């Protein structure tokens, strides 16, 4: 390599490092700010004195949140919806994913079309809403658990994974030995699919945890609200009930309104934030499998 | 003789057995697929039956089938309404803005990461940029509103600190689309880069070596090796994005809009929600929804066809 090329390589390297540095800062700073703002003195945060480090550390926001009944109702409901919804979703996805992975499965292609059509053509909001009402699922936990429990994308993910990890020969040998599909699925496919089961659980789990739209449309009973709906009322609509603020003066309340929001963001995101570093590789794996054209 | 006859009889019986066994095998596969099939029939195909209310005057008492037909009346009403132009322009405006700025962002990030030879730094950048993907849309919208607040938001404190006037971002329709698109990049560019990084890692090192011998510098490698090799992936993703052009994310738009920025933030999907569920104009709202879906499908089919001709890459 000649020296001119080397020289320009260095320049490009420097430019790339600078740009990536800017990217990292602009992604990380808002997240970092939320953390420091959540346990700083509210007045200092609101007046812009907290920029780089937390100041006058205070846990006022958090103490108020802990006593907030709605938050815990939301937490409880979301945990319930997430666990049940994810389990059902993963099981159903693996089952049909296995069926579709069998190349000799008559009707497999038709089934795939049947699923893919729904990606682009659907009844729309109103017909779906009317149907949910008619089925008697309106304002029930069932709709929160069932609806959205399988996605076409995840089915393709499962199918691609099973196809690429388990050889068709293995399956054929097992069938010759008298093994049925269901036996094979339970005894061979599931134990060998731990990685994809992890990926699917995470995908479904995160989407259930973050879900608010279903609740907004299909729930009227506050006792059934998922966490994100309560978040919406506080973060977006500024609807902090006075029960939450057992502090007397209105001014003091106003001061606390903003600080609660920072704490709330942290508290509601903790589960995802805690598992994220450990499971990052699984998420990435999921995207990789998904990118294989199959 | 007898033995021969028995042999002859056995043959068709074996064949039949084989067919039955084959059927039995498939029957179990259908059984495994059944829960999902039922799910899709109930939650995706049954609502399609309800689309007919777009051509009817839906009366709850009479149900979907019993309500009277009115033809294209609701479609005409929508197209001639004063809202129509604004909704279409806002929907397309956000979408094209997002395609133009948001679509290349993960590609550029992936190309830069791919050139980073310091693996620790690379992994660090990836870990940081993936993280916002897992933040819920409610929290995301909450963060935007908090940060952009004219009185207590950190952005305005920074603007003020630099000696400029504070800006009430959320109350100004002119900023809405930019806020929407750039917050989307913030949240998803890192995640979107994964797929391109996978494509880039599949490039054979000998290709780079050969180019190096010919005197190529890093910029040449990016320009003539990296970019062409991720093109097929990019085209597929672009087609899929165009197929959703009319489906600007309802959730984030809905959360970010307020009475003051409505002029640029009201899009078809938020309008459908308001007219349909809040005002209970079911038929009119369903008609708008159908109109939207059909435009989407037309876009998808035509872009796919163009791409097939021009780049030989297509969805089907």
């Amino acid at each position: 390599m000649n020296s001119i090329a080397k020289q320009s390589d260095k320049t490009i390297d420097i430019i790339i490092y600078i740009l990536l540095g800017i990217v990292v800062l602009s992604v990380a700073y808002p997240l970092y700010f939320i953390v420091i703002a959540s346990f700083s003195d509210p007045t200092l945060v609101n007046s812009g004195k907290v920029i780089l480090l937390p100041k006058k550390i205070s846990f006022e926001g958090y103490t108020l949140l802990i006593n907030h009944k709605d938050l815990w109702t939301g937490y409880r409901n979301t945990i319930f919806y997430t666990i049940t919804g994810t389990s059902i979703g993963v099981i159903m996805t693996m089952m049909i994913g296995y069926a579709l992975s069998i190349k000799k499965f008559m009707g497999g292609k038709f089934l795939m079309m049947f699923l893919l059509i729904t990606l682009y053509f659907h009844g729309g909001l109103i017909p779906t809403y009317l149907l949910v009402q008619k089925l008697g699922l309106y304002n029930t936990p069932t709709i929160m658990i069932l609806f959205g429990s399988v996605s076409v994308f995840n089915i393709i993910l499962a199918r691609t994974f099973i196809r690429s990890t388990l050889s068709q020969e293995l399956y054929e040998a097992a069938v010759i030995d008298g093994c049925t599909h269901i036996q094979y699925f339970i005894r061979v496919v599931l134990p060998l699919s731990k990685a994809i089961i992890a990926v699917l659980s995470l995908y479904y789990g995160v989407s259930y945890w973050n879900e608010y739209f279903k609740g907004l449309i299909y729930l009227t009973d506050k006792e059934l609200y998922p966490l994100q709906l309560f978040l919406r009322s506080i973060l977006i609509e500024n609807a902090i009930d006075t029960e939450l603020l057992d502090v007397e003066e209105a001014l003091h309340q106003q001061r606390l309104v903003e600080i609660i929001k920072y704490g709330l963001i942290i508290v509601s995101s903790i589960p995802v934030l805690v598992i994220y570093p450990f499971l990052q590789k699984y998420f990435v794996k999921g995207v990789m499998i998904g990118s294989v054209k199959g | 003789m007898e033995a021969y006859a028995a042999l002859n009889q056995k043959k068709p019986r074996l064949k039949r057995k084989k067919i039955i066994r084959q059927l039995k095998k498939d029957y179990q596969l259908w059984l495994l697929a059944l829960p999902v099939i039922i799910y899709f029939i109930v939650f995706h195909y049954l609502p399609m039956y309800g689309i007919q209310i777009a051509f009817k005057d839906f009366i709850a008492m009479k149900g979907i089938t019993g309500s009277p037909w009115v033809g294209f009346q609701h479609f005409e009403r929508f197209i001639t309404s004063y809202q129509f132009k604004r909704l279409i322009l806002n929907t397309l405006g956000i979408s094209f803005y997002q395609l133009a700025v948001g679509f290349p962002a993960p590609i550029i990030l992936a190309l830069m990461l791919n050139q980073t030879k310091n693996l620790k730094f690379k992994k660090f950048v990836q870990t940081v940029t993936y993280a916002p993907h897992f933040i819920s849309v409610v929290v995301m919208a909450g963060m935007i509103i908090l940060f952009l607040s004219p009185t207590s938001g950190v952005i305005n404190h920074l603007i003020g600190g630099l000696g400029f006037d504070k800006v009430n971002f959320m109350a100004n329709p002119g900023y809405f689309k930019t806020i929407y698109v750039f917050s989307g990049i913030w949240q998803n560019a890192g995640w979107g880069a994964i797929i391109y990084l996978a494509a880039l890692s599949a490039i054979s090192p000998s290709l780079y070596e050969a180019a190096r011998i010919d005197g190529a510098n890093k910029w040449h490698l990016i320009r003539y090796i990296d970019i062409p090799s991720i093109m097929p992936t990019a085209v597929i993703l672009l087609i899929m994005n165009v197929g959703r052009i009319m489906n600007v994310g309802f959730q984030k738009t809905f959360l970010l809009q307020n009475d003051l920025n409505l002029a640029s933030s009201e899009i078809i999907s938020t309008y459908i929600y308001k007219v349909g569920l809040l005002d209970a104009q079911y038929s009119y709202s369903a008609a708008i929804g159908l109109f939207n879906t059909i435009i989407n499908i037309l876009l998808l089919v035509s872009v796919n066809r163009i791409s097939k001709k021009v780049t030989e890459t297509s969805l089907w």
Side-chain angles (χ1 to χ4, degrees):
Chain A
M1 203 191 314
N2 60 45
S3 61
I4 302 168
K6 251 184 191 163
Q7 190 56 42
S8 62
D9 270 11
K10 228 178 183 174
T11 324
I12 292 166
D13 269 344
I14 291 168
I15 294 172
I16 288 178
Y17 275 101
I18 291 173
L19 287 177
L20 285 178
I22 295 172
V23 168
V24 166
L25 276 180
S26 49
V27 173
Y29 181 71
L31 300 172
Y32 172 74
F33 180 78
I34 299 261
V35 177
I36 59 168
S38 74
F39 55 85
S40 291
D41 180 78
T43 319
L44 293 176
V45 174
N46 292 343
S47 58
K49 299 273 161 33
V50 176
I51 297 284
L52 287 177
L53 291 168
K55 278 183 185 155
K56 266 176 97 182
I57 292 181
S58 108
F59 292 93
E60 268 179 294
Y62 287 109
T63 11
L64 285 167
L65 282 173
I66 285 170
N67 297 319
H68 194 19
K69 211 185 99 242
D70 282 355
L71 177 71
W72 299 114
T73 312
Y75 237 100
R76 187 198 65 204
N77 290 340
T78 291
I79 289 172
F80 174 64
Y81 299 148
T82 304
I83 291 176
T84 46
T86 304
S87 323
I88 294 173
V90 170
I91 294 168
M92 292 208 294
T93 306
M94 284 306 291
M95 278 160 61
I96 195 171
Y98 168 69
L100 288 170
S101 78
I102 306 291
K103 287 194 170 123
K104 283 178 186 160
F105 178 27
M106 266 175 30
K109 270 201 174 138
F110 165 77
L111 208 54
M112 211 53 230
M113 279 305 292
F114 169 85
L115 298 176
L116 287 173
I117 286 172
T118 62
L119 283 182
Y120 294 99
F121 197 74
H122 46 83
L125 180 67
I126 302 300
T128 313
Y129 176 82
L130 291 174
L131 176 81
V132 169
Q133 271 191 331
K134 200 160 194 188
L135 292 173
L137 295 176
Y138 187 75
N139 201 24
T140 61
T142 318
I143 190 69
M144 296 301 290
I145 292 164
L146 270 190
F147 203 6
S149 60
V150 253
S151 91
V152 177
F153 173 75
N154 287 349
I155 291 172
I156 296 173
L157 220 62
R159 181 190 72 157
T160 313
F161 179 88
I162 296 169
R163 256 193 200 164
S164 58
T165 23
L166 297 154
S167 70
Q168 293 274 314
E169 289 81 29
L170 185 65
Y171 145 76
E172 265 152 28
V175 171
I176 286 168
D177 288 347
C179 184
T180 67
H181 276 297
I182 291 176
Q183 284 170 335
Y184 181 73
F185 173 70
I186 293 168
R187 288 194 201 148
V188 182
V189 177
L190 286 184
L192 289 176
S193 301
K194 285 195 187 99
I196 192 69
I197 290 172
V199 170
L200 292 174
S201 310
L202 292 168
Y203 277 12
Y204 284 129
V206 169
S207 77
Y208 271 96
W209 188 269
N210 288 339
E211 178 67 50
Y212 94 99
F213 185 56
K214 263 187 299 181
L216 176 77
I217 291 184
Y218 299 117
L219 294 181
T220 50
D221 187 354
K222 248 189 157 190
E223 280 298 303
L224 296 175
Y225 275 12
L227 183 62
Q228 302 289 335
L229 264 190
F230 290 116
L231 283 185
R232 171 173 171 260
S233 65
I234 298 176
L235 288 179
I236 317 285
E237 299 179 322
N238 280 316
I240 301 193
D241 40 354
T242 39
E243 169 229 13
L244 166 64
L245 307 159
D246 49 356
V247 204
E248 287 91 43
E249 339 99 76
L251 202 75
H252 189 54
Q253 289 190 9
Q254 201 46 51
R255 192 176 72 100
L256 289 170
V257 167
E258 301 283 301
I259 209 74
I260 288 171
K261 293 184 180 175
Y262 295 107
L264 192 60
I265 289 176
I266 306 267
V267 171
S268 67
S269 309
I270 276 177
V272 182
L273 290 177
V274 168
I275 59 167
Y276 168 67
F278 302 103
L279 301 172
Q280 204 203 115
K281 58 169 184 171
Y282 280 117
F283 283 121
V284 173
K285 202 172 190 172
V287 180
M288 300 289 220
I289 300 168
S291 66
V292 179
K293 223 182 154 191
Chain B
M1 256 326 247
E2 263 180 62
Y4 183 76
L7 212 87
N8 246 354
Q9 264 183 348
K10 222 177 170 183
K11 243 183 170 178
R13 217 166 63 216
L14 255 177
K15 224 178 187 175
R16 205 178 303 140
K17 243 185 173 174
K18 232 178 173 179
I19 293 167
I20 291 167
R21 207 166 63 198
Q22 183 71 35
L23 270 176
K24 236 184 182 171
K25 266 196 281 179
D26 274 8
Y27 147 80
Q28 290 214 339
L29 288 177
W30 283 109
L31 213 64
L32 284 168
L34 195 63
V36 173
I37 296 175
I38 293 172
Y39 173 84
F40 272 86
I41 288 176
V42 171
F43 288 109
H44 291 272
Y45 282 90
L46 280 184
M48 290 183 195
Y49 171 79
I51 291 176
Q52 54 176 289
I53 68 165
F55 305 95
K56 290 184 161 187
D57 255 337
F58 180 70
I59 300 159
M61 294 281 292
K62 293 185 179 171
I64 291 173
T65 328
S67 299
W69 292 95
V70 293
F72 287 91
Q73 191 187 304
H74 299 298
F75 293 89
E76 279 164 27
R77 183 181 150 205
F78 176 56
I79 290 167
T80 53
S81 78
Y82 76 99
Q83 289 274 20
F84 181 73
K85 199 176 151 199
R86 191 172 79 165
L87 291 174
I88 297 280
L89 286 181
N90 282 341
T91 309
L92 288 179
I94 294 178
S95 229
F96 280 116
Y97 193 168
Q98 183 157 262
L99 273 185
V101 185
F103 187 76
I107 300 179
I108 295 166
L109 184 61
L111 289 172
M112 292 199 298
L113 280 170
N114 190 49
Q115 291 298 329
T116 315
K117 292 293 165 275
N118 184 336
L119 290 180
K120 261 192 180 157
F121 180 69
K122 184 177 172 181
K123 215 176 162 218
F124 173 68
V125 177
Q126 285 181 286
T127 306
V128 171
T129 52
Y130 295 167
H133 178 77
F134 299 101
I135 292 174
S136 80
V137 65
V138 178
V139 166
M140 178 76 193
M143 282 174 68
I144 294 169
I145 294 169
L146 265 174
F147 287 151
L148 295 179
S149 155
T151 51
S152 59
V154 64
I155 303 238
N156 266 315
H157 287 313
L158 291 175
I159 293 176
L162 293 171
F164 296 101
D165 286 339
K166 295 191 170 185
V167 186
N168 193 352
F169 291 99
M170 296 312 293
N172 188 333
Y175 290 113
F176 185 83
K177 293 185 175 74
T178 304
I179 293 168
Y180 183 94
V181 170
F182 279 85
S183 60
I185 293 176
W186 182 82
Q187 188 166 30
N188 291 318
W191 190 249
I194 297 175
I195 206 166
Y196 296 109
L197 280 170
L200 285 168
S201 68
I203 299 172
S204 152
S206 61
L207 218 54
Y208 289 120
E209 279 160 30
R212 282 296 196 188
I213 291 165
D214 290 344
N217 66 21
K218 270 196 169 179
W219 169 246
H220 294 132
L221 299 184
I222 296 174
R223 174 71 189 81
Y224 297 106
I225 300 178
D226 289 354
I227 293 180
S229 51
I230 57 174
M231 272 313 271
T233 311
V235 171
I236 289 282
L237 291 176
L238 189 66
I239 298 172
M240 288 168 79
N241 278 331
V242 172
R244 288 194 290 260
I245 221 160
M246 304 295 283
N247 291 357
V248 180
F250 166 88
Q251 304 208 8
K252 203 165 87 182
T253 318
F254 180 67
L255 292 167
L256 287 177
Q257 66 181 202
N258 56 45
D259 292 343
L260 297 168
N261 65 27
L262 216 53
S264 71
S265 67
E266 189 78 293
I267 55 171
I268 295 181
S269 56
T270 54
Y271 189 67
I272 290 172
Y273 170 77
K274 287 174 189 165
V275 170
L277 292 187
L278 303 183
D279 299 346
Q281 301 186 47
Y282 292 149
S283 285
Y284 183 46
S285 175
I288 304 172
L290 182 57
F291 174 85
N292 199 39
T293 305
I294 287 169
I295 293 190
N296 252 334
I297 292 173
L298 289 178
L299 278 170
L300 179 73
V301 171
S302 39
V303 170
N304 194 50
R305 187 167 293 167
I306 295 168
S307 158
K308 211 174 197 170
K309 269 192 186 146
V310 179
T311 66
E312 286 169 10
T313 317
S314 73
L315 279 181
W316 58 80

